Amino acid sequence: MSKTNFEFLDALGQIARDKGISVETLLDALANALVAAYKRMPDAAEEAVVTIDPDSGEIRVYGQELDEDGEVIREWDDTPDDFGRIAAQTAKQVILQRIREVERDMKYEEYAGREGDIVTGIVQQTDNRYTLLDLGKVEALLPQAEQVSYERYEHGTRLKAYIVEVRKTTKGPQIVVSRTHPGLIKRLFELEVPEISSGVVEIKAAAREPGHRTKIAVWSNDPNVDPVGACVGARGSRVRMVTNELRGERVDVVPFSDDPVELIQNALAPARVREVRLDEETGTATVVVSDFQLSLAIGKEGQNARLAARLTGWRIDIKSETQLAEEEAGYSDEEWAEGEWVEDDKGEMVWKPAEGGEAMSAEDWAHQAEDAPSDGTAPTAVAAGAGAGSTEPEPAGAAPAAPESAEPQSAEPETAAAEPEPVVTKAAADVSAETTQEADA
């Protein structure tokens, strides 16, 4: 073994130890690069193979002759006299390139299986597009869309983030992290609550509005362990650590239940629920609360109700006891006129009952309304039901509003030729009387 080869192998071993790469991997990469360097030399064989003795460091080049099937039919030693110099120049480039490739692969393999995990990094750079976190060997990318709107990431501060994606690129692994993902809450509680990391307590569901409020539903597999108490900790110490990491975001911990009614009641905490009515077909839950609990159940700008809906998977409609009573009472004791205003052959608007019968003019409706009983019951000529052509039902005790075009007919005929004496209606007589009084005045 020559001194040069000994130094070469010693340097190769040192690089392999420092970079965490095997010597065999570096030798294979160097051998492949030397084959390419040999083929660029004049009078080189079309096919060749380079061998490097791992013990002595001796480098030999063997030319090969292949048959039509690619089998070696002849092989000879074709090592150039000055191949050591070529090998030295090539080795440096190949080793550096191979080291970079292996490091990229190792970094990718280290983080490829950690999607859904939590990492701690140091803020390196921040702009309006993304924030870079230094994780040690690699950098993580925190895009603007994954940032909490009001948080400010100052250079040098430590930050925990949730890994959402690991991409393999030519420049190495690109790790995308998030501060808004609900999974961040679960991972933070796993770090602070031993019962969760051991599997005794489970986080069954989580709903989050980043930067404002989060609700989690927890379940205990051990009847002797209180899941809410385990997550909150003594005097709120555990949940406070999570809140501090989230920079003041409020976290509500509620017990999980397989009963939808009980789960909805728990999810709307701190509001106290009186009653829950489920509609399986529409997936809607009507929640009844006391009047003074209504604003608490809905929350600021509906936040408490939104989070409860996401946590339970039900559409939640919150009503106070007074609202529910008014809706149930409604007009249940009223009778409704059913029909619509239509235009007759003469171009006048008349009320046509939906169940049939004679159409009524606006004047007839006015007379009928005046003659209606004082107790509010419907006139006998009005059918019960809802107005077919109206968006709001009208009580039968009062006549439906006449269309604007249906004005009382004038008492004066259009022509005086051979017309019978005009019949003056009550409405027209009233109008005439009012006009006379105004003229006298």
Side-chain angles (χ1 to χ4, degrees), residues 283-400:
T284 303
T286 302
V287 178
V288 183
V289 297
S290 302
D291 291 357
F292 67 91
Q293 291 278 312
L294 181 61
S295 59
L296 184 61
I298 296 175
K300 183 180 180 180
E301 298 179 352
Q303 186 182 79
N304 193 56
R306 282 197 308 272
L307 289 175
R310 296 177 192 171
L311 192 70
T312 61
W314 287 81
R315 295 176 58 188
I316 296 179
D317 183 14
I318 303 176
K319 299 179 180 180
S320 67
E321 292 178 325
T322 301
Q323 290 175 338
L324 184 66
E326 291 177 352
E327 290 183 5
E328 290 181 346
Y331 299 96
S332 57
D333 296 332
E334 300 282 352
E335 290 185 345
W336 305 90
E338 183 174 331
E340 59 181 340
W341 288 100
V342 297
E343 187 174 350
D344 63 4
D345 298 337
K346 299 179 180 179
E348 298 178 358
M349 300 302 296
V350 295
W351 175 260
K352 185 176 181 181
E355 62 181 14
E358 185 178 355
M360 304 177 67
S361 65
E363 296 177 4
D364 295 336
W365 266 113
H367 290 304
Q368 192 174 35
E370 292 177 359
D371 298 338
S374 59
D375 58 359
T377 58
T380 56
V382 180
S390 61
T391 57
E392 296 293 336
E394 301 179 0

Side-chain angles (χ1 to χ4, degrees), residues 111-132:
Y111 288 94
R114 295 186 60 184
E115 293 182 355
D117 200 357
I118 192 172
V119 291
T120 302
I122 299 176
V123 178
Q124 293 296 315
Q125 177 184 343
T126 301
D127 57 27
N128 57 358
R129 296 175 299 166
Y130 54 80
T131 296
L132 286 180

Side-chain angles (χ1 to χ4, degrees), residues 8-21 23 26:
F8 167 72
L9 290 176
D10 185 53
L12 207 62
Q14 184 65 38
I15 293 173
R17 287 189 295 271
D18 292 343
K19 301 300 182 180
I21 307 171
V23 177
L26 293 178

Side-chain angles (χ1 to χ4, degrees), residues 98-111:
R98 186 59 180 168
I99 287 174
R100 288 193 293 267
E101 292 176 356
V102 171
E103 286 181 340
R104 286 197 296 264
D105 292 341
M106 292 176 61
K107 291 174 183 177
Y108 176 76
E109 294 297 332
E110 180 181 356
Y111 288 94

